[in-house]
Structure formats: structure tokens, C-alpha cells
Amino acid sequence: MPAAHQPLPDTIARLRAIATPLPDYRTMAFEVDALDSRLTGGGLRAGALHEVAPRTCSLADDAAATLFLAGIAAREARHAGGPVLWVSSRNDLYAPGLAQAGLLSADVIHARPCDDNALLAVVEDAVRDGTPSAVVCEAGKISMVVSRRLQLVAADADLPVLLLRRHRRRDQDPLAEPSAAWTRWRLASAPSVRLDVSGVGRARWAVEVARQRGGEAFSLIVEGSDETGRLAVPAALGRRAAEAAGTARTAAA
């Protein structure tokens, strides 16, 4: 007997899209299918708290996490037409580096509170005010109660709060503490593609979703944010990027 007719891949994708209910919130798509297709709602929830931490305390991983957030904020700033508020008690923002990820200094308001308590107050006031299109903040220690409060104000304002969690100690995972964040990410630098000529290639990052509400953890390799804030899947990996990188090894509570 002839083999049964097999449905085409694009037909299967359309059927899955029909069967998947649309989210009741606004999303910020990465416009990278390998990422968006694995995120609940087809992208990041706009009105939510999202946490990002370097995988290690190395400067390379720290830079990858920072520029990852800068790219997200840059894309949302262009979409919403407002500035990005960057709140940090540290004085180590490097404007040319942020610009390479699409976030120009003219679009950034930098606030430097004296400690984490003042920092969280600035973030909450700014989100409730609604002036910035996105808020990026760097805090050392965030309790579950505080993260829940940030998640609630972000949802009420439909405004993304992007929290950078740097390593306080070499042997301590910043994402080991519980959090109400909608998504929790780990970022690490990855080897760049070898160029045919002498020069520096586009950065590559190992991106890991340690936890997301309503979805599974996963990891993959991407090319870092370009001057428009966009990521890309390395051409050599193509559609196999997620499979080549494997699944996430750990998940934070």
C-alpha cells in the first residue's frame, strides 16, 4: 500500500499557531524564531520583570549580559519613542559599548542612587510615572517581596523592567535566590566565527533561559546585538541553533 501522506512542515507550524491561544499581554519579539518560538507568547512580555545574570563573574560574561539588556531596551525605545532609564549605583557604563548594541547615549537617562533601597524606589517611581520606554537596573540583592512588587508595577504600566544581577561572590549564582521575575536568563560569551581576514568578528553569546512562566528552560548560541539592538542566529547553525546548543542544564527557582 502507498505510504500515508505526511503533512508539510509549514502546515504543521500553521496548525500549531492556530491551536496556541494568543497571550492577553503585549510582547516584545526578538524577531529570531529560534528564540521567539520557545518563549511563552512568542517573545518577552513587555509589562514584566526580566532578570539577566552573567554565567560567571568574568568580564566577558558580564559584558554579554549588559549588552543583551541594552539591545532589548534599544528596540523597545525605538518602538515606544521614549528614553531608557538606566539605574545603577556603579559608574561603569560605557556609552560607545551601549551604542554598538543599539542604545545611543542621547536615549539614556542614567540615575545613580546611593544604595539598593534608593535604587528600587527610583525604579518604582519611574515605572509608575511612565516616562521611560524601558527601565534597566542593577541591584545586588533582591528579595522575593521586592521582585513581586517590581513585577506588579511593571505589569500595571505595561513597561519592561530589566534587572541585571551581577555576581557578588565568585561561587554564588545570582539566580539562586527565588524571584517573581517573568523570565530569568544567563548570558555567557561564546567563541566568534573565524574570519578570512584579520579583524574582529561579531560577538557570539550562549543564551540560557533558566526559567520562564508557562514555558520550559532552553539554551542556544546567538550572535550578539548589532547597532540596531537585534540578535541573530549564526548562519552555520541555521535552524539547528537550539539543538546544537542543547537544553538548559540548570533552572533557578
Side-chain angles (χ1 to χ4, degrees):
M1 294 182 65
H5 177 68
Q6 298 294 324
L8 297 175
D10 57 342
T11 303
I12 296 176
R14 285 197 297 270
L15 290 173
R16 286 176 177 170
I18 294 172
T20 303
L22 294 175
D24 58 356
Y25 50 80
R26 183 172 66 90
T27 60
M28 304 180 298
F30 285 94
E31 298 182 7
V32 176
D33 184 65
L35 267 175
D36 292 333
S37 63
R38 293 183 169 217
L39 290 170
T40 306
L44 289 180
R45 177 175 178 173
L49 171 67
H50 303 282
E51 289 186 357
V52 175
R55 182 177 293 171
T56 71
C57 59
S58 72
L59 290 177
D61 289 359
D62 192 274
T66 302
L67 295 178
F68 178 74
L69 290 180
I72 296 173
R75 295 194 304 273
E76 183 64 7
R78 280 193 295 275
H79 170 77
V84 172
L85 175 64
W86 199 295
V87 190
S88 172
S89 300
R90 301 164 61 121
N91 187 28
D92 61 352
L93 277 186
Y94 184 57
L98 296 183
Q100 289 181 353
L103 189 56
L104 302 178
S105 58
D107 297 326
V108 177
I109 300 173
H110 186 202
R112 288 189 60 199
C114 58
D115 55 34
D116 279 355
N117 289 332
L119 180 146
L120 295 170
V122 170
V123 171
E124 286 194 44
D125 287 345
V127 173
R128 290 194 174 99
D129 178 74
T131 297
S133 57
V135 175
V136 182
C137 54
E138 305 176 32
K141 185 175 179 61
I142 297 290
S143 68
M144 183 66 173
V145 173
V146 170
S147 68
R148 185 178 293 116
R149 193 164 71 233
L150 289 177
Q151 170 59 35
L152 289 174
V153 297
D156 288 342
D158 191 30
L159 191 152
V161 176
L162 310 172
L163 178 60
L164 177 60
R165 302 292 306 275
R166 283 171 159 160
H167 286 252
R168 287 179 290 156
R169 294 203 304 266
R170 183 179 297 272
D171 59 346
Q172 185 175 32
D173 180 5
L175 301 188
E177 302 166 349
S179 171
W182 196 265
T183 62
R184 309 187 82 184
W185 303 69
R186 289 189 184 90
L187 266 289
S189 60
S192 298
V193 63
R194 185 180 297 275
L195 300 179
D196 294 332
V197 296
S198 178
V200 179
R202 183 173 176 178
R204 285 186 177 181
W205 300 335
V207 175
E208 176 189 337
V209 174
R211 196 198 72 180
Q212 62 168 322
R213 291 196 191 181
E216 297 180 351
F218 66 90
S219 61
L220 70 158
I221 300 295
V222 299
E223 292 185 338
S225 300
D226 62 12
E227 67 278 1
T228 68
R230 296 183 183 277
L231 305 173
V233 173
L237 299 179
R239 294 183 179 179
R240 298 183 295 106
E243 288 76 10
T247 57
R249 295 185 298 275
T250 58

